[in-house]
Amino acid sequence: MTGSSGTRPAAFVVWALTRAVLLLWVTKVVTPPGLDVTSDVSVIYHGWSEVLRSGSYPQSDVTWQYPPVAALAILSPALLPFLDYATAFFVLAFLCDALVLGMLLRASDGPGRRAAGVWVWVAGVPLLGTTAYARYDVMVTAVAVAALLAGLRHPRVLGALAAFGALLKVWPALLLAGTARGRATRLAWGTAAAVAAGLLLVCVAAAPGALAFLGFQRDRGTEVESLGALVFHVWRQFGWEGRVELHYGSLEFLGPHVPLVSTLALGLSVAAFGWLLVWRLRARTFGVSTPADAAFTAVLLFTTTSRVISPQYMLWLVGLAAVCLVLRESRMGWPAVLVVAATGVTQLEFPIGFVHVVTSDAQGLTLMFLRNGLLVAACVLAAVRLWRDTVRTPVREEVQEAVAEPALSRAGRADTPASAP
């Protein structure tokens, strides 16, 4: 159905109720189940903000693995000086959540639009639990949603916001994967390159350590929640001698054969990039939903094959799925459902059941196979649907030409004197 007057109040009421619960949880008015994830804001983010305010990036901290514009997100609580750092951050996360809701509600109204995308966002965010507001990914997702929606009419705005988002957290660069060939691609990609170069130059000139994140990100290993980690979760049951330790800001497997699995995971990401490149070269039909569908598929592929699938990454997928489902033309319905389901399972494994994941017990194994299995299924389904909707195979073209040729011949004969009755 299209966005309607009945949908708006219903969506807003559900959104308001669920977000009130999230705010009560992150501010610890009510204690949620599982680990306390808010310390990343009150301790780590706050500590980074002090370093940034001193005029340098946290270049001596290996957990700083973010592009230089991420400094704006870390410093953003200063916009609310009457609140302590953590509370201000949670309020800003809430406001970004509200901004995404507003953009989706507006986009869902009109011909060729529907309200399904609004409900994906309304339901998907609270399924992640406190992690949704205790990381700055909701801010990045708001930029990405704005970029895709603006890009429906303004390729330059898409390019500028994608570049800004990429320097916040890299992945929004993939928003450019599905721009229509020709003028739209030239405008979007050209603007993105210019904006990214300008922002990067400003950041490098503004403070030392702007590019330190590149080395820290390169050295990361196989995080316990990743697809590759399933190898060691299972192998542990048969006597694998490795261990789980805090490494580069997350709990990773360390021990025999971990470098090999990490390399294979990188190989999967390269293969995903190769498929995306082939799709881009072969695609012939670019519809209204193609940029959003391609962005969703690309981010889904790279998230699933990553050496690290942190819980907050699910916000990216929920946001992009919501944009897809606002557009009636999109066929990403089932991949979106799988992503929303995977988001719910993610909260069960982190923060609620993380001890089971770390110890690789039966519950932890079940949760990781279920969550990562849902992501793999979503990847396959999204990729197949994107390919079928946009790529004409040579066989299909030959069949169309074979059918069209006799028809044209008959039409030609009908116009000649010899064929007249």
Side-chain angles (χ1 to χ4, degrees), residues 118-138:
V118 176
W119 287 107
V120 166
W121 183 255
V122 169
V125 173
L127 283 177
L128 193 60
T130 50
T131 305
Y133 283 3
R135 304 289 188 273
Y136 81 89
D137 295 78
V138 67

Side-chain angles (χ1 to χ4, degrees), residues 17 121 133 172 179 214 220 224 243 277 316 328-329 334 383 399 405:
L17 291 174
W121 183 255
Y133 283 3
T179 53
L214 293 172
R220 297 193 76 166
V224 295
R243 63 198 184 280
L277 181 60
W316 315 345
R328 179 170 292 277
E329 180 186 285
W334 275 112
V399 170
E405 199 170 321

Side-chain angles (χ1 to χ4, degrees), residues 222-361:
T222 298
E223 190 257 349
V224 295
E225 297 165 274
S226 66
L227 185 63
L230 292 176
V231 172
F232 301 109
H233 283 299
V234 173
W235 202 350
R236 265 180 150 183
Q237 316 305 313
F238 300 94
W240 180 68
E241 297 178 353
R243 63 198 184 280
V244 173
E245 288 185 5
L246 186 64
H247 191 243
Y248 284 90
S250 64
L251 287 172
E252 298 181 357
F253 280 115
L254 299 175
H257 306 293
V258 173
L260 173 62
V261 172
S262 296
T263 300
L264 290 174
L266 286 174
L268 279 178
S269 294
V270 171
F273 178 80
W275 180 88
L276 195 63
L277 181 60
V278 171
W279 167 80
R280 176 76 196 184
L281 294 174
R282 294 284 303 277
R284 293 292 180 269
T285 304
F286 290 81
V288 173
S289 70
T290 302
D293 291 348
F296 173 63
T297 303
V299 175
L300 183 56
L301 287 169
F302 281 96
T303 298
T304 304
T305 60
S306 172
R307 293 171 296 171
V308 180
I309 307 181
S310 294
Q312 61 268 23
Y313 294 5
M314 300 305 299
L315 277 179
W316 315 345
L317 301 175
V318 169
L320 298 183
V323 175
C324 291
L325 265 62
V326 158
L327 305 172
R328 179 170 292 277
E329 180 186 285
S330 175
R331 295 183 64 247
M332 292 294 161
W334 275 112
V337 169
L338 293 173
V339 162
V340 172
T343 303
V345 178
T346 298
Q347 183 181 183
L348 294 179
E349 62 91 357
F350 184 91
I352 294 175
F354 197 53
V355 65
H356 300 287
V357 174
V358 172
T359 57
S360 303
D361 65 15

Side-chain angles (χ1 to χ4, degrees), residues 126-209:
L127 283 177
L128 193 60
T130 50
T131 305
Y133 283 3
R135 304 289 188 273
Y136 81 89
D137 295 78
V138 67
M139 302 174 182
V140 186
T141 303
V143 174
V145 170
L148 286 175
L149 292 177
L152 294 172
R153 294 186 178 181
H154 307 290
R156 283 195 179 96
V157 179
L158 167 61
L161 289 176
F164 180 74
L167 290 178
L168 273 172
K169 207 161 188 182
V170 181
W171 67 267
L174 296 171
L175 301 179
L176 301 173
T179 53
R181 289 183 177 180
R183 183 173 180 270
T185 291
R186 289 194 300 271
L187 291 176
W189 291 22
T191 302
V195 171
L199 286 173
L200 197 57
L201 184 62
V202 169
C203 291
V204 170

